[in-house]
Amino acid sequence: MFYLFIKAALSGALVAAISEVARRNPGWGGLLASLPLTSLLAMIWLWRDSGDPERVAQLSTGAFWFILPSLPLFIVLPWLLRSGVGFWAAMAVVIVGTLALYAAWFWAAPRMGIKL
């Protein structure tokens, strides 16, 4: 249980640090947020927990393929906000849209020969 707490605390500290950097300088915050730090942490935790290189490789491949349906979020959210849509409404739209794209990707990827 203590190990789970350590993983959560370190992961949460990373997100908090990025949001603090973004508050002071949005450009640097964007750079840090765009880094695959969460994925890297997940891979490190998975390796530490399992020691299985194939599972880590599958996690890395899955993360790559799921970047695609998440990319429109980063285009639509700023457009909505700059168009005068409120923050929470814009977030709701991009979350629902991203979930729909994930569902479509779960359907389409296997039909294109991509193993998720």
Side-chain angles (χ1 to χ4, degrees):
M1 190 59 148
F2 183 69
Y3 177 60
L4 179 61
F5 174 76
I6 294 297
K7 288 194 313 187
L10 285 173
S11 301
L14 179 63
V15 172
I18 292 170
S19 70
E20 283 301 307
V21 169
R23 189 170 56 87
R24 291 175 176 81
N25 187 315
W28 282 106
L31 170 66
L32 291 173
S34 73
L35 296 173
L37 298 174
T38 305
S39 297
L40 291 172
L41 276 176
M43 289 174 213
I44 290 167
W45 298 138
L46 180 59
W47 175 256
R48 170 113 178 29
D49 293 345
S50 71
D52 183 353
E54 182 55 32
R55 291 181 84 177
V56 175
Q58 288 174 349
L59 173 61
S60 178
T61 302
F64 170 78
W65 286 116
F66 281 108
I67 287 171
L68 298 174
S70 69
L71 288 177
L73 175 149
F74 299 103
I75 297 167
V76 175
L77 181 62
W79 177 76
L80 289 172
L81 293 172
R82 290 180 179 134
S83 296
V85 177
F87 175 78
W88 292 112
M91 287 299 287
V93 167
V94 298
I95 289 169
V96 169
T98 301
L99 290 173
L101 289 172
Y102 280 143
W105 188 239
F106 267 113
W107 176 85
R111 286 162 178 73
M112 298 183 330
I114 298 169
K115 184 178 181 221
L116 300 175

